Amino acid sequence: MKKVVKFGGSSLANAEQFQKVGEIIRSEESRRYVVPSAPGKRFDGDTKVTDMLYACYGAAEAGEDFSGKLQAIKMRFQEIIQGLSLDLSLDREFEQIAADFSAHAGKEYAASRGEFLNGKVMAAYLGYEFVDAAEVIRFDKNGVLEAEKTNRLLEKRLAKCEKAVIPGFYGAEDGGKVRTFSRGGSDVTGSLVAKAIMADLYENWTDVSGFLVTDPRIVENPAVIETITYRELRELSYMGATVLHEEAIFPVRKEGIPINIRNTNHPEDKGTFIVESTCRKPKYTITGIAGKKGFCSINIEKSMMNSEIGFGRKVLQVFEDQGISFEHIPSGIDTLTVYVHQDEFEEKEQQVIAGIHRAVSPDFVEMESDLALIAVVGRGMKSTRGTAGRIFSALAHANVNVKMIDQGSSELNIIIGVENRDFEAAIKAIYDIFVLTQM
Ligand SMILES: Nc1ncnc2c1ncn2[C@@H]1O[C@H](COP(=O)(O)OP(=O)(O)O)[C@@H](O)[C@H]1O
Ligand SMILES: N[C@@H](CC(=O)OP(=O)(O)O)C(=O)O
């Protein structure tokens, strides 16, 4: 039995957390490949080491004195090393980092040092071999992961290691330039390692007892999802359920390796199993609810739009030309609405509107900002009548005005557009009706 275990920043924030992690790893011989993140927040309002590194490098790039900021980062590691009574010095590594920052080695290099250093600490603590992710995770010149090359490198390197620590979040281009995944990317590293060694299980350890039906910052103590499919998870993580990076499922999914989300602070809890498919019926009609704020809608009206072939393509071409991706395009007979991310759209707003006028001569274009999208996801929805009815009556009772509804043809999810200010109330209302009130 071989397991890859990834520990998030919250699981490695200080020496006490490291000790819990040590106990978890030592309690099972199969936990042979460890992927750590950088130390996260020790308490509410604390700063993650990754964010400290970004800020420190920002100062270096601006030509300011960054020594104080770097010292504060060193102290975070010192606190862990001393708390664990390790005989380990990171002086040489910090000297190198200071020199590289002065030479403006790059923002991604800077951010990667949190995982690099934490990997060194973890390897010393466990007595495992340290494998630098820069050797085995490959990116191309555009910062895109080279999946096959990475798999070959990892396979070859790890075949020689009985037990290893591979830091998360970063890799390098062929020439050695360090690159990172987007935020939360250590989850992706864990998945790549699991695929390369053909793990029996990829355990992803965090600070919640699994994937929860909804965001615990919105609903207090939400129910845990016992089993979720990759497809359901993809919908939820894309729509903001941040517990697992949205790209982390691809490497393991192809190999049928399950992911188990576990809680470092409650290792006795079973957590959530993420699987390719399952005949297990979900406990509730819906599996999960997630959402994001900060969308804009652009509503385009033109009489007889329905008979104008190519209308939709011409409209979307305008967005493409401005480099703006769209989220949803609900349409009626004479209307077409495009949902986009507000931060991407705002600065190009006037060019887009002018472009639409030129492309399709609409009767009318109307925009609305500060909208939120909520995804209600569940493999059980297909076979249950009245799901949509229950959602909308719950929203009506909670006085939430529904702006948009989009049900995918897979019947795996229903997307609902509401105003930003109704976002939390809408999620609570949907959670209550399916989980608390009726099951
Ligand atoms: N549906 C959800 N289920 C579980 N956690 C969620 C969900 N949506 C958002 N979260 C948040 O995700 C956090 C865990 O992800 P993350 O901060 O990346 O952890 P880590 O530092 O362990 O990688 C939880 O603490 C929780 O606040
Ligand atoms: N440390 C990186 C990568 C990461 O995956 O972290 P975490 O596992 O704490 O989400 C970040 O903060 O984005």
Side-chain angles (χ1 to χ4, degrees):
M1 182 95 158
K2 284 185 287 190
K3 285 185 185 173
V4 171
V5 287
K6 179 259 169 179
F7 291 89
S10 53
S11 304
L12 301 166
N14 56 26
E16 200 188 333
Q17 289 300 95
F18 254 82
Q19 273 156 354
K20 291 183 193 169
V21 167
E23 269 172 42
I24 289 167
I25 295 171
R26 291 187 191 110
S27 70
E28 262 193 41
E29 202 36 45
S30 57
R31 295 186 172 129
R32 288 168 43 189
Y33 299 94
V34 180
V35 176
S37 290
K41 294 183 184 181
R42 292 160 293 183
F43 44 83
D44 261 359
D46 194 18
T47 310
K48 291 174 102 176
V49 162
T50 309
D51 291 306
M52 295 172 85
L53 284 159
Y54 279 126
C56 180
Y57 185 69
E61 227 180 5
E64 294 163 14
D65 174 18
F66 63 86
S67 55
K69 288 191 165 68
L70 194 59
Q71 186 58 24
I73 296 167
K74 194 171 179 189
M75 291 313 294
R76 289 287 312 259
F77 287 99
Q78 242 9 81
E79 184 190 305
I80 296 170
I81 291 170
Q82 275 158 15
L84 298 174
S85 311
L86 294 179
D87 180 20
L88 173 74
S89 162
L90 294 175
D91 288 349
R92 262 192 23 233
E93 283 80 1
F94 271 94
E95 273 166 34
Q96 184 67 53
I97 291 170
D100 292 336
F101 277 28
S102 296
H104 296 179
K107 202 171 155 188
E108 293 181 51
Y109 165 80
S112 76
R113 295 305 86 184
E115 271 71 11
F116 172 79
L117 295 163
N118 222 23
K120 293 260 169 177
V121 176
M122 181 65 92
Y125 179 50
L126 297 172
Y128 281 21
E129 186 173 342
F130 175 82
V131 174
D132 190 349
E135 284 174 39
V136 284
I137 309 280
R138 271 293 159 273
F139 287 85
D140 69 15
K141 296 277 171 230
N142 299 316
V144 178
L145 175 78
E146 293 196 285
E148 278 172 27
K149 206 180 234 180
T150 296
N151 194 54
R152 279 198 302 277
L153 289 168
L154 271 170
E155 238 175 12
K156 196 163 164 223
R157 181 71 180 82
L158 296 181
K160 294 185 223 144
C161 304
E162 182 60 21
K163 292 178 164 183
V165 172
I166 309 101
F169 190 42
Y170 73 94
E173 291 176 16
D174 266 341
K177 185 177 174 200
V178 170
R179 305 297 300 240
T180 58
F181 293 107
S182 57
R183 296 302 302 266
S186 300
D187 292 332
V188 187
T189 311
S191 186
L192 292 167
V193 175
K195 176 185 158 95
I197 64 143
M198 283 294 164
D200 296 286
L201 186 65
Y202 169 25
E203 287 179 346
N204 189 294
W205 293 80
T206 180
D207 63 347
V208 278
S209 286
F211 214 101
L212 307 172
V213 172
T214 194
D215 192 329
R217 291 162 295 192
I218 299 175
V219 169
E220 207 181 312
N221 210 6
V224 176
I225 302 168
E226 283 171 18
T227 310
I228 185 171
T229 65
Y230 284 124
R231 287 178 69 210
E232 290 173 311
L233 178 89
R234 168 110 179 97
E235 301 283 350
L236 289 169
S237 54
Y238 178 73
M239 282 301 281
T242 54
V243 65
L244 196 73
H245 192 288
E246 55 168 310
E247 286 160 36
I249 58 174
F250 298 115
V252 282
R253 182 179 184 172
K254 271 198 192 144
E255 308 303 329
I257 301 168
I259 306 175
N260 186 198
I261 310 279
R262 299 284 291 266
N263 190 345
T264 299
N265 305 317
H266 291 282
E268 67 286 0
D269 291 348
K270 287 197 185 104
T272 300
F273 276 93
I274 306 165
V275 297
E276 177 60 44
S277 64
T278 175
C279 58
R280 272 171 176 257
K281 273 222 153 75
K283 194 163 167 194
Y284 312 103
T285 306
I286 59 159
T287 303
I289 315 158
K292 281 189 205 168
K293 288 182 179 174
F295 291 93
C296 258
S297 68
I298 300 97
N299 185 29
I300 303 149
E301 268 190 51
K302 187 176 184 187
S303 304
M304 303 301 287
M305 173 193 292
N306 59 323
S307 59
E308 206 174 313
I309 290 173
F311 190 95
R313 178 185 53 75
K314 287 180 206 155
V315 168
L316 293 180
Q317 184 71 51
V318 176
F319 287 88
E320 185 179 338
D321 291 346
Q322 295 297 330
I324 300 171
S325 58
F326 68 90
E327 283 299 304
H328 291 280
I329 33 169
S331 63
I333 305 171
D334 291 332
T335 65
L336 183 125
T337 310
V338 184
Y339 275 77
V340 292
H341 286 270
Q342 198 158 331
D343 53 356
E344 270 184 42
F345 178 68
E346 262 170 4
E347 56 194 74
K348 309 231 174 104
E349 175 191 86
Q350 292 310 313
Q351 291 96 304
V352 173
I353 301 304
I356 292 173
H357 278 281
R358 273 196 298 273
V360 294
S361 310
D363 298 336
F364 186 61
V365 179
E366 188 186 37
M367 286 178 287
E368 189 169 355
S369 57
D370 299 325
L371 298 174
L373 294 175
I374 296 169
V376 184
V377 176
R379 59 189 186 278
M381 294 192 331
K382 206 171 182 168
S383 53
T384 315
R385 268 178 294 134
T387 308
R390 282 164 73 190
I391 294 175
F392 297 115
S393 87
L395 292 175
H397 273 105
N399 275 326
V400 173
N401 183 19
V402 175
K403 295 266 169 191
M404 188 271 286
I405 306 164
D406 191 353
Q407 175 167 22
S409 52
S410 65
E411 290 187 57
L412 188 71
N413 67 356
I414 296 177
I415 309 280
I416 301 149
V418 299
E419 287 174 35
N420 274 349
R421 60 170 181 200
D422 287 335
F423 179 71
E424 285 84 5
I427 289 190
K428 280 193 189 117
I430 301 168
Y431 180 84
D432 285 355
I433 198 79
F434 285 101
V435 180
L436 294 188
T437 325
Q438 295 181 37
M439 314 267 273

